[in-house]
mmCIF file of all heavy atoms in Angstrom:
data_model
loop_
_atom_site.group_PDB
_atom_site.id
_atom_site.type_symbol
_atom_site.label_atom_id
_atom_site.label_comp_id
_atom_site.label_asym_id
_atom_site.label_seq_id
_atom_site.Cartn_x
_atom_site.Cartn_y
_atom_site.Cartn_z
ATOM 1 N N GLU S 229 100.791 89.527 -90.917
ATOM 2 C CA GLU S 229 101.867 89.254 -91.867
ATOM 3 C C GLU S 229 101.809 87.837 -92.431
ATOM 4 O O GLU S 229 102.719 87.419 -93.146
ATOM 5 C CB GLU S 229 103.227 89.479 -91.192
ATOM 6 C CG GLU S 229 103.476 90.922 -90.782
ATOM 7 C CD GLU S 229 104.867 91.129 -90.204
ATOM 8 O OE1 GLU S 229 105.376 90.201 -89.524
ATOM 9 O OE2 GLU S 229 105.440 92.199 -90.434
ATOM 10 N N LEU S 230 100.743 87.114 -92.102
ATOM 11 C CA LEU S 230 100.632 85.721 -92.531
ATOM 12 C C LEU S 230 100.572 85.590 -94.051
ATOM 13 O O LEU S 230 101.243 84.734 -94.639
ATOM 14 C CB LEU S 230 99.398 85.071 -91.900
ATOM 15 C CG LEU S 230 99.165 83.595 -92.244
ATOM 16 C CD1 LEU S 230 100.338 82.746 -91.779
ATOM 17 C CD2 LEU S 230 97.862 83.092 -91.617
ATOM 18 N N ALA S 231 99.772 86.454 -94.705
ATOM 19 C CA ALA S 231 99.625 86.354 -96.165
ATOM 20 C C ALA S 231 100.955 86.604 -96.861
ATOM 21 O O ALA S 231 101.313 85.886 -97.803
ATOM 22 C CB ALA S 231 98.575 87.357 -96.650
ATOM 23 N N GLU S 232 101.709 87.611 -96.395
ATOM 24 C CA GLU S 232 103.007 87.900 -96.996
ATOM 25 C C GLU S 232 103.982 86.747 -96.751
ATOM 26 O O GLU S 232 104.756 86.376 -97.639
ATOM 27 C CB GLU S 232 103.573 89.200 -96.423
ATOM 28 C CG GLU S 232 104.889 89.611 -97.064
ATOM 29 C CD GLU S 232 105.477 90.879 -96.465
ATOM 30 O OE1 GLU S 232 104.876 91.424 -95.516
ATOM 31 O OE2 GLU S 232 106.546 91.311 -96.935
ATOM 32 N N ARG S 233 103.936 86.187 -95.542
ATOM 33 C CA ARG S 233 104.813 85.065 -95.230
ATOM 34 C C ARG S 233 104.558 83.886 -96.154
ATOM 35 O O ARG S 233 105.488 83.273 -96.692
ATOM 36 C CB ARG S 233 104.623 84.618 -93.781
ATOM 37 C CG ARG S 233 105.601 83.525 -93.332
ATOM 38 C CD ARG S 233 105.175 82.864 -92.040
ATOM 39 N NE ARG S 233 104.142 81.846 -92.253
ATOM 40 C CZ ARG S 233 103.700 81.019 -91.303
ATOM 41 N NH1 ARG S 233 104.182 81.099 -90.083
ATOM 42 N NH2 ARG S 233 102.759 80.122 -91.574
ATOM 43 N N GLN S 234 103.288 83.558 -96.347
ATOM 44 C CA GLN S 234 102.940 82.418 -97.198
ATOM 45 C C GLN S 234 103.310 82.659 -98.655
ATOM 46 O O GLN S 234 103.694 81.729 -99.371
ATOM 47 C CB GLN S 234 101.445 82.100 -97.065
ATOM 48 C CG GLN S 234 101.029 81.590 -95.682
ATOM 49 C CD GLN S 234 101.763 80.332 -95.265
ATOM 50 O OE1 GLN S 234 102.819 80.408 -94.636
ATOM 51 N NE2 GLN S 234 101.218 79.179 -95.618
ATOM 52 N N GLN S 235 103.205 83.919 -99.091
ATOM 53 C CA GLN S 235 103.599 84.245 -100.463
ATOM 54 C C GLN S 235 105.095 84.054 -100.650
ATOM 55 O O GLN S 235 105.543 83.458 -101.643
ATOM 56 C CB GLN S 235 103.213 85.684 -100.788
ATOM 57 C CG GLN S 235 103.549 86.082 -102.218
ATOM 58 C CD GLN S 235 103.247 87.544 -102.489
ATOM 59 O OE1 GLN S 235 103.512 88.409 -101.662
ATOM 60 N NE2 GLN S 235 102.688 87.827 -103.663
ATOM 61 N N LYS S 236 105.904 84.543 -99.693
ATOM 62 C CA LYS S 236 107.356 84.385 -99.769
ATOM 63 C C LYS S 236 107.748 82.910 -99.672
ATOM 64 O O LYS S 236 108.660 82.451 -100.361
ATOM 65 C CB LYS S 236 108.026 85.169 -98.636
ATOM 66 C CG LYS S 236 107.810 86.673 -98.688
ATOM 67 C CD LYS S 236 108.526 87.309 -99.867
ATOM 68 C CE LYS S 236 108.410 88.824 -99.831
ATOM 69 N NZ LYS S 236 109.044 89.464 -101.013
ATOM 70 N N LEU S 237 107.044 82.179 -98.814
ATOM 71 C CA LEU S 237 107.310 80.746 -98.673
ATOM 72 C C LEU S 237 107.010 80.016 -99.977
ATOM 73 O O LEU S 237 107.791 79.151 -100.410
ATOM 74 C CB LEU S 237 106.470 80.164 -97.539
ATOM 75 C CG LEU S 237 106.546 78.650 -97.333
ATOM 76 C CD1 LEU S 237 107.966 78.224 -96.967
ATOM 77 C CD2 LEU S 237 105.566 78.207 -96.241
ATOM 78 N N ALA S 238 105.901 80.358 -100.617
ATOM 79 C CA ALA S 238 105.532 79.720 -101.884
ATOM 80 C C ALA S 238 106.586 79.973 -102.954
ATOM 81 O O ALA S 238 106.926 79.081 -103.747
ATOM 82 C CB ALA S 238 104.169 80.236 -102.354
ATOM 83 N N GLN S 239 107.141 81.182 -102.977
ATOM 84 C CA GLN S 239 108.189 81.509 -103.946
ATOM 85 C C GLN S 239 109.439 80.672 -103.702
ATOM 86 O O GLN S 239 110.067 80.187 -104.647
ATOM 87 C CB GLN S 239 108.515 82.999 -103.869
ATOM 88 C CG GLN S 239 107.398 83.904 -104.372
ATOM 89 C CD GLN S 239 107.657 85.376 -104.096
ATOM 90 O OE1 GLN S 239 108.606 85.734 -103.392
ATOM 91 N NE2 GLN S 239 106.816 86.234 -104.631
ATOM 92 N N MET S 240 109.797 80.503 -102.427
ATOM 93 C CA MET S 240 110.977 79.698 -102.105
ATOM 94 C C MET S 240 110.771 78.232 -102.470
ATOM 95 O O MET S 240 111.660 77.586 -103.042
ATOM 96 C CB MET S 240 111.323 79.821 -100.619
ATOM 97 C CG MET S 240 112.513 78.966 -100.197
ATOM 98 S SD MET S 240 113.069 79.309 -98.524
ATOM 99 C CE MET S 240 113.716 80.967 -98.731
ATOM 100 N N LEU S 241 109.619 77.694 -102.159
ATOM 101 C CA LEU S 241 109.343 76.293 -102.467
ATOM 102 C C LEU S 241 109.297 76.048 -103.974
ATOM 103 O O LEU S 241 109.753 75.014 -104.457
ATOM 104 C CB LEU S 241 108.027 75.869 -101.813
ATOM 105 C CG LEU S 241 108.046 75.824 -100.284
ATOM 106 C CD1 LEU S 241 106.640 75.633 -99.735
ATOM 107 C CD2 LEU S 241 108.957 74.712 -99.789
ATOM 108 N N SER S 242 108.755 77.017 -104.713
ATOM 109 C CA SER S 242 108.737 76.907 -106.165
ATOM 110 C C SER S 242 110.158 76.884 -106.708
ATOM 111 O O SER S 242 110.488 76.107 -107.614
ATOM 112 C CB SER S 242 107.967 78.084 -106.772
ATOM 113 O OG SER S 242 108.033 78.061 -108.187
ATOM 114 N N ARG S 243 111.015 77.724 -106.133
ATOM 115 C CA ARG S 243 112.430 77.757 -106.539
ATOM 116 C C ARG S 243 113.102 76.412 -106.253
ATOM 117 O O ARG S 243 113.860 75.893 -107.066
ATOM 118 C CB ARG S 243 113.136 78.868 -105.778
ATOM 119 C CG ARG S 243 114.597 79.065 -106.170
ATOM 120 C CD ARG S 243 114.711 79.974 -107.371
ATOM 121 N NE ARG S 243 116.092 80.411 -107.567
ATOM 122 C CZ ARG S 243 116.875 80.002 -108.549
ATOM 123 N NH1 ARG S 243 116.433 79.122 -109.434
ATOM 124 N NH2 ARG S 243 118.093 80.467 -108.683
ATOM 125 N N LEU S 244 112.805 75.833 -105.092
ATOM 126 C CA LEU S 244 113.395 74.544 -104.732
ATOM 127 C C LEU S 244 112.942 73.440 -105.680
ATOM 128 O O LEU S 244 113.741 72.588 -106.090
ATOM 129 C CB LEU S 244 113.023 74.184 -103.291
ATOM 130 C CG LEU S 244 113.742 74.949 -102.185
ATOM 131 C CD1 LEU S 244 113.096 74.660 -100.828
ATOM 132 C CD2 LEU S 244 115.218 74.585 -102.145
#
Side-chain angles (χ1 to χ4, degrees):
E229 295 184 325
L230 181 61
E232 183 182 2
R233 185 194 81 172
Q234 294 302 91
Q235 182 184 41
K236 297 292 185 183
L237 175 62
Q239 291 171 352
M240 178 171 292
L241 293 170
S242 175
R243 184 85 167 109
L244 286 170

